[in-house]
Amino acid sequence: MSIVLGVDVGTSVTKAVAFGRDGRSLAAASRPSRLNRLPGGRVEQDLEDVLRTVGEVVREVSAALAAKGRAAPVALALTGQGDGLWLRDAAGRAVRPPISWMDGRANDTVTRWGEDGTIRELYRLTGSGVFPGCHAPLLRWLADHEPEALARAEVAGYCVDAVAQRLTGVIGVDASDASMPFLDVTTRAYVPEALEACGIAEYARLLPSPAAPDTVRRLDKAGAELLGLAVGLPVTAGPYDLPACAIGSGVEEVGDGLLIVGTTLASQVLTDSARIDPAADPAGMWLCVPDRDRWLRGMPAMVGTAALEWVLEFAGATTADLDALLAQSPPGARGVTALPFLSDAGERAPFVEPAARGRLDGLTLAATRADAVRAVCEAVAYAARHCLEAAGLTASLAACGGGTRSAAWAQLFADALGRPVRIPDEPEVGARGAVAVAWRALGDPVDATQWRADSRTVVPDADRAEAYERGYADYRARLARTLAEWRATAPV
């Protein structure tokens, strides 16, 4: 059996998974990586630490395969977190600590751009929204505060291509990563006017041209030594984790969607048309996929499992208690409601608001910690529905991510969304999607029919439909009122 090794370099965990052609994992390993939270909402990583985790998980999986008498992998497939800003020199060394997509230092820049029309203009040009942790405001912030870092840099890239450069010696970027916020996704070329609108046209030199679909690189000597694999092993770099998860979850037909319940609550819908509606809310993104005539309309919200972890800690509980707590509180959480916007960077989809903050309302002495937990879980599910509607979901929906491991929360999502939700049996769908892309690039694409079949479907409870329809309408009304308050009180 031929095996491809998928590596998913996440925000806080790096995973390696070996897959056979049936899409089933044969061995896996994971390592945490450091996420450095600094004053002022800054969130950074260490490229050398990330590379250490990659080397360790690949070596562990390779050893496990050998112990089982399996053949060595025929290729390495990379995916990982998107956005942020990973500035590097020609040798692939970081010229300053990589800035995470979770970073909030550019909040004021995004607020100013919202007021002066820059965000609306950028959306008109590329169809991409802007949030503090993406390339445009981060490059602008560095130009204002650390111009020497930009002067030393050879490339302004992302996590996946940073790792790929150190493994192969090649500077490049996948079109999925490059899609936001400067790319015309229909031509896969950067829009000069987009950089000009952001006041960073002089840094266009730092943006590598997107690689053609099915590009294959090779491990160089340094990369082979880090991973313990053979020099010359084929390497694919991308797509990044959002489209990789869609591919790995079996999203194949136009109108199909995927909900990732992870650190990012990412909603995506596959489409065959990337038409920009200038009148729409300037949020979300169009993402390139390996097929040039298909795109993903993405709405990656900031309100994922971090909100759940916060309320569980607040309630003195852990994820192991989640199902029991949800069982102790009825739909509607006895009148307790939440807005789950806890990120220092505010929200980026389906609206952009750096000033967005979380709320927990309706508390009385009769409210329980279970009510608080359910209120947050329901709010996250309503946020997912808001995003999926904005992304244009019309067909089937799959879901993945750590949040789907809770049977009770998965049922709550189906109930709040009002539709069946298909959950793949294989948890590491991002790595699996990257592996599918690698096989295609090697000229031997897989048949993903079995991949879709290996899943379970959660059906909404009809008896709760009316309650959740009322709850969603109430959520949207509360959000509209509070959004107006945030924008009215934003600093000028």
Side-chain angles (χ1 to χ4, degrees):
M1 174 192 293
S2 61
I3 295 170
V4 173
L5 182 55
V7 177
D8 186 347
V9 188
T11 304
S12 56
V13 177
T14 299
K15 303 170 185 175
V17 189
F19 287 97
R21 289 184 57 80
D22 59 3
R24 294 174 178 168
S25 59
L26 302 170
S30 65
R31 291 289 188 283
S33 55
R34 291 194 298 271
L35 199 62
N36 301 318
R37 296 184 180 274
L38 306 169
R42 304 183 187 194
V43 185
E44 299 181 343
Q45 293 199 257
D46 180 335
L47 178 55
E48 301 308 312
D49 180 61
V50 169
L51 287 164
R52 171 191 61 79
T53 66
V54 172
E56 289 180 1
V57 295
V58 168
R59 286 177 177 273
E60 182 174 333
V61 169
S62 296
L65 291 173
K68 295 176 181 179
R70 302 280 191 179
V74 299
L76 179 72
L78 301 176
T79 187
Q81 60 182 294
D83 295 307
L85 186 62
W86 297 58
L87 281 181
R88 313 181 310 268
D89 62 19
R93 302 282 176 180
V95 301
R96 63 151 351 270
I99 303 175
S100 169
W101 62 272
M102 301 175 71
D103 192 274
R105 76 188 68 198
N107 282 12
D108 290 346
T109 300
V110 174
T111 298
R112 184 175 70 251
W113 284 356
E115 294 167 351
D116 67 17
T118 300
I119 289 178
R120 175 62 66 181
E121 176 65 6
L122 190 58
Y123 186 81
R124 182 186 70 81
L125 292 166
T126 68
S128 284
V130 174
F131 73 102
C134 75
H135 258 46
L138 289 175
L139 282 169
R140 180 67 265 170
W141 191 93
L142 288 176
D144 293 338
H145 299 279
E146 296 182 21
E148 67 282 358
L150 294 174
R152 293 196 307 272
E154 184 72 22
V155 57
Y158 305 84
C159 175
V160 176
D161 55 271
V163 172
Q165 183 181 357
R166 291 289 291 275
L167 297 181
T168 67
V170 177
I171 294 175
V173 66
D174 188 77
S176 63
D177 261 319
S179 294
M180 180 178 178
F182 305 121
L183 202 71
D184 178 340
V185 296
T186 63
T187 64
R188 303 196 177 207
Y190 295 113
V191 180
E193 294 84 358
L195 286 107
E196 292 170 5
C198 298
I200 50 178
E202 64 186 289
Y203 300 110
R205 66 175 181 83
L206 299 177
L207 305 178
S209 298
D214 303 328
T215 293
V216 177
R217 308 181 193 184
R218 303 279 172 175
L219 272 187
D220 64 12
K221 182 179 179 182
E225 289 177 354
L226 175 69
L227 304 183
L229 298 174
V231 173
L233 185 76
V235 178
T236 56
Y240 82 97
D241 56 6
L242 297 192
C245 284
I247 295 168
S249 296
V251 173
E252 295 180 311
E253 303 298 328
V254 170
D256 283 352
L258 174 68
L259 174 65
I260 305 174
V261 189
T263 306
T264 297
L265 184 74
S267 301
Q268 306 172 83
V269 175
L270 189 65
T271 178
D272 57 1
S273 174
R275 289 193 299 268
I276 299 170
D277 177 5
D281 219 345
M285 60 187 73
W286 298 99
L287 298 176
C288 293
V289 296
D291 293 320
R292 288 185 176 273
D293 60 349
R294 294 287 186 273
W295 299 269
L296 285 164
R297 181 61 173 149
M299 291 286 169
M302 306 285 282
V303 298
T305 53
L308 171 65
E309 291 163 2
W310 176 86
V311 74
L312 287 172
E313 183 178 2
F314 189 72
T318 69
T319 53
D321 304 311
L322 178 58
D323 284 19
L325 287 168
L326 290 175
Q328 294 167 24
S329 179
R334 299 187 182 93
V336 180
T337 63
L339 293 178
F341 307 107
L342 298 175
S343 169
D344 288 334
E347 187 51 279
R348 61 176 174 172
F351 59 90
V352 176
E353 182 46 68
R357 293 295 180 264
R359 295 184 59 161
L360 196 59
D361 294 312
L363 294 169
T364 70
L365 291 175
T368 67
R369 63 176 190 157
D371 295 331
V373 171
R374 175 172 277 278
V376 171
C377 287
E378 288 184 347
V380 172
Y382 292 144
R385 179 167 171 176
H386 193 184
C387 288
L388 287 164
E389 288 176 353
L393 178 67
T394 59
S396 68
L397 177 67
C400 65
T404 62
R405 295 180 192 136
S406 162
W409 203 14
Q411 183 64 58
L412 193 159
F413 272 105
D415 292 342
L417 294 169
R419 62 171 58 242
V421 179
R422 180 175 57 82
I423 301 176
D425 294 337
E426 170 55 55
E428 302 304 337
V429 293
R432 184 166 72 168
V435 163
V437 171
W439 261 308
R440 166 181 159 144
L442 295 174
D444 190 17
V446 297
D447 179 358
T449 302
Q450 181 63 46
W451 298 19
R452 288 180 64 93
D454 291 340
S455 61
R456 60 187 174 92
T457 299
V458 182
V459 179
D461 186 336
D463 293 337
R464 297 181 174 183
E466 185 177 348
Y468 278 111
E469 286 300 318
R470 289 196 307 268
Y472 180 58
D474 176 67
Y475 168 84
R476 291 293 301 271
R478 286 185 291 110
L479 176 58
R481 291 193 300 269
T482 310
L483 188 57
E485 293 172 7
W486 289 327
R487 291 174 174 170
T489 58
V492 178

